[in-house]
Structure formats: structure tokens, C-alpha cells
Amino acid sequence: MLFRRMLTALGVAGLLVLAPTPVQAAGPSPEDAAFLVAAHQGGLAEIAAGRIAWQKTTTPEVKTVAGALMRDHIRLNAAIYHEARKLRVYLPGQPTPEQQSLIRTYEAAGADTFDEHFILTQLAAHRATMELISGHLEEDGDPSVKALARRAAPVIAAHHLLLREAAEAEGIAGYAGKGGRPTP
């Protein structure tokens, strides 16, 4: 009843003038936007790679890695999407052309070479992702994007560890036995 009286007295335009206006944020920094886009596209690539690995491999260690990639990157991408939407950052619907090319190599790989190719390329991709995250954490930026990067860091590190274990189980040179590359 009170609303009808106010509407009649002020008209719709009067109510719109009285409504509080939200304070507009300046928008995300270019670094934050670039991080969200890169993390999202990387996640899309990891989900696709995990799906292919799940279908192609017969090795239990690679199946474990594939399942973790799909599960964790779906969750991380949901958080990235939520944050990007809040900050009004456009996220592409596909991985980068380079990532798409790598996915095509997974699809074309034979059963005899797939596991080693997958493990080695994913190790390199996860090292690059860890560098992206640590680099973004050192920059100034939106606290919510930094929190997202901090949340993603242990997930990516866990994937890297799973990949190293799979490489060791497969006997891949440089990872078998006590030798090999140090974990970053």
C-alpha cells in the first residue's frame, strides 16, 4: 500500500532517482584480466587433455592424473568464471591455438607413445602454470584474484607431483629411480 502511494506521488522516474546508485569499480587491472583469461584457457586445455587421456590410456597412473585434471580444473574454472564475471572480464570459450594444437597431438598419438607424450607435455605445462601463478602473486592486483591464484597453486603442485609419479612409474628417462629433475 505504501509503495503504491509513493509510486503515485513520485511516479516511476521519481523512484529511480531516489534509488541508491552503486559505486562503480574501476575494473580489473590488465594483469588481473590477463591472468584470469590465461588460467581459464589453461583449465579448458587441461580438461580436454584429461578427457583424452582417460579414454586413451590403460595405465592406472595416467588414469589417476587424467581424473584429477578433469575434476580439479572443472572446479577451478568455475571459480575463475565466477571471479571474471564479478570483474566483468570476458573469458574465451576455447583454449589458445597452441593449447588446441597440443590437444590435437594427444588425439593423434598412438597407444604406444601416448602416455610418455602426455606426461612430458603436461609436466611442462604445469611448470609453466606454476610460474604464471607465482608471477601473478608477486604483482599488485585485485585481492580476490590473488586469493584465486593462492587457491590454485596447491592444486597445480599436486598435479605436478602426480605427473612426476606417473613418469617414474612409466620409467621415463630423467624421472626413473633416484635421479631426475628436482621438483620446483
Side-chain angles (χ1 to χ4, degrees):
M1 183 87 164
L2 178 62
F3 181 72
R4 281 191 214 157
R5 287 185 190 158
M6 286 177 61
L7 188 58
T8 305
L10 297 173
V12 175
L15 281 178
L16 292 175
V17 169
L18 292 176
T21 57
V23 177
Q24 292 293 325
S29 70
E31 294 81 12
D32 284 336
F35 175 79
L36 290 170
V37 168
H40 173 71
Q41 287 183 299
L44 291 175
E46 296 299 323
I47 293 165
R51 188 174 298 120
I52 294 166
W54 185 266
Q55 294 168 351
K56 280 197 152 195
T57 191
T58 56
T59 308
E61 292 84 7
V62 176
K63 278 246 193 228
T64 299
V65 171
L69 291 178
M70 289 185 293
R71 177 192 65 236
D72 295 341
H73 284 285
I74 287 170
R75 289 179 182 158
L76 286 173
N77 267 17
I80 292 166
Y81 176 79
H82 177 74
E83 196 57 43
R85 186 171 173 160
K86 279 191 335 190
L87 296 173
R88 297 179 185 219
V89 173
Y90 170 77
L91 297 177
Q94 295 181 7
T96 66
E98 294 83 13
Q99 292 163 338
Q100 290 177 37
S101 176
L102 181 59
I103 291 166
R104 285 191 296 276
T105 68
Y106 292 153
E107 292 169 340
D112 57 334
T113 61
F114 176 79
D115 287 349
E116 185 172 351
H117 176 61
F118 175 77
I119 291 168
L120 291 175
T121 55
Q122 285 299 307
L123 279 165
H126 280 78
R127 278 191 296 272
T129 302
M130 288 190 296
E131 289 174 13
L132 172 75
I133 291 170
S134 65
H136 189 71
L137 287 173
E138 293 172 3
E139 296 174 357
D140 289 334
D142 189 282
S144 61
V145 177
K146 284 197 173 296
L148 187 62
R150 276 191 295 278
R151 178 179 163 194
V155 174
I156 302 305
H159 291 172
H160 193 261
L161 181 60
L162 284 173
L163 286 158
R164 286 185 57 81
E165 290 169 356
E168 189 173 324
E170 287 291 305
I172 296 175
Y175 293 94
K178 295 190 186 247
R181 301 175 191 149
T183 303

